[in-house]
Amino acid sequence: MEREHLLLIDGMALLFRSFYATAPRWMMNSRGVPTNAVYGVVKHIEAATNALQPTHVVCCWDMGSTTFRTEWFPDYKANRGEPPRELIPQFDLAKEVVAMLGIPNIGVLGAEADDCIGSLVKQYREEMRISIMTGDRDLFQLLSERVTVYLLAKGIGNYEAYTLDRFIEEKGIQPQQLIDVKALMGDPSDNYPGVRGIGEKQAVKLIQQYGSIEGIIANLANLTKAQQQKITEHLDLLHLSRKLAAIHCDIPIQLELEEAKWHDERKRFAEVLEAIR
C-alpha cells in the first residue's frame, strides 16, 4: 500500500484562481458560456497529475454558502461579495469536467471543501501517502509525515511544497497549533475576529511559549497587563474563533477508493477541453 498516493484537490481554490488569472470574455463556448475558469482547472489538474504521479485523485468542493460555521457565527465570510456572474455557470461545468476526467467530486452540504479534505486525510493517511493541492494555507493544519501540501504559486504547474519539517522550521509551531494561532489573531478573509489587538507575530509567540489556548489561559498572570486585558475581554470570541479556524475531520463521506483510481491517459485532457468548447 505504501506506493499508493492520493492527491486531494481543492476544487474551489483552483476554480477561483483560474477565473481571476484570465479574462472570461476571451473564452466562451459555442453556447456563450464562459469557460476560462474551467479551462484553468483542467490545465491545473493535468500539470499536477503529471508532476505528482498519484495513484488516486479526488476533487473537493464547497456546497453553498451556508455551513455549520455560519450557524455558529452568522458573520462568517459575510465580507465576501457574490461571485462574478461570469463565474456562476462555471461551478457546475467544472464538476462535470472533473467527472469527465474520471475524478470523483466530493462535497457535503453544511461543510466546506477543507472539511471534506480533512476528513479524507483522516480516513486514508494510514493507508497511503497524501498530497493536497490548494491555495489555502489553513490546510497546513493537516500536515504530517504522510501528508504534504502543495500551495499554488503563480502560473500552472508551480507550487510551494510544504512538508511537516518545512512548516515546523518556518513557523516554529506544530501544524495543529496553527488552529490556536488563528484563534488568537483572527482571519479577515474568513471574517472572524480572534482577539482584537493580537496579531500573527504575537499569536505565534504566545503559542510557542504556552503551547495552546488552554496553556495561555492557565498562565494569564504571566502575560503583560495589556495581553491579559485583551484575552479576558474577548474570551468567548477566542473560543468561537478556534471552532471556526479548525478543519473538521469527521465529515461522513461516501467514497469507494476504487472510484478514485487514477488512469493517466494524456489524450483525455485534450478530449475534455474539446468537449467544453
Side-chain angles (χ1 to χ4, degrees), residues 130 139-150 161-177:
I130 297 177
L139 286 160
F140 286 166
Q141 63 189 262
L142 301 175
L143 286 167
S144 72
E145 293 287 356
R146 301 178 65 80
V147 179
T148 301
V149 171
Y150 289 85
Y162 273 84
T163 61
L164 176 62
D165 288 345
R166 177 178 177 179
F167 177 84
I168 293 171
E169 183 179 348
E170 287 190 8
K171 307 298 182 182
I173 56 174
Q174 295 292 323
Q176 278 292 301
Q177 290 177 306

Side-chain angles (χ1 to χ4, degrees), residues 9 17 36 55 76 78 82 113-114 134 146 151-152 156 158 169 175 178 180 225-226 251 257 262 276:
I9 297 170
R17 177 174 287 261
N36 65 314
T55 58
Y76 180 74
E82 291 294 316
D114 289 4
T134 184
R146 301 178 65 80
L151 202 65
L152 293 163
I156 291 173
N158 299 318
E169 183 179 348
L178 179 61
D180 286 13
K225 294 294 184 184
I251 306 299
L257 203 54
W262 177 246
I276 64 174

Side-chain angles (χ1 to χ4, degrees), residues 56-158:
H56 298 75
V57 184
V58 174
C59 191
C60 295
W61 303 91
D62 292 352
M63 297 293 286
S65 58
T66 301
T67 69
F68 52 80
R69 291 182 179 85
T70 55
E71 292 176 7
W72 297 336
F73 185 60
D75 287 337
Y76 180 74
K77 292 189 177 180
N79 55 333
R80 301 188 184 186
E82 291 294 316
R85 61 182 179 85
E86 296 92 347
L87 178 57
I88 292 171
Q90 299 191 65
F91 285 106
D92 287 340
L93 183 57
K95 292 171 189 171
E96 290 174 22
V97 162
V98 167
M100 289 170 67
L101 290 169
I103 298 171
N105 287 298
I106 296 293
V108 176
L109 284 173
E112 297 182 44
D114 289 4
D115 303 308
C116 294
I117 290 171
S119 298
L120 289 168
V121 166
K122 182 178 179 181
Q123 190 170 345
Y124 292 112
R125 65 189 169 199
E126 299 304 320
E127 297 181 33
M128 56 180 64
R129 186 162 55 92
I130 297 177
S131 295
I132 301 170
M133 183 169 62
T134 184
D136 188 350
R137 294 173 182 270
D138 287 349
L139 286 160
F140 286 166
Q141 63 189 262
L142 301 175
L143 286 167
S144 72
E145 293 287 356
R146 301 178 65 80
V147 179
T148 301
V149 171
Y150 289 85
L151 202 65
L152 293 163
K154 188 175 181 180
I156 291 173
N158 299 318

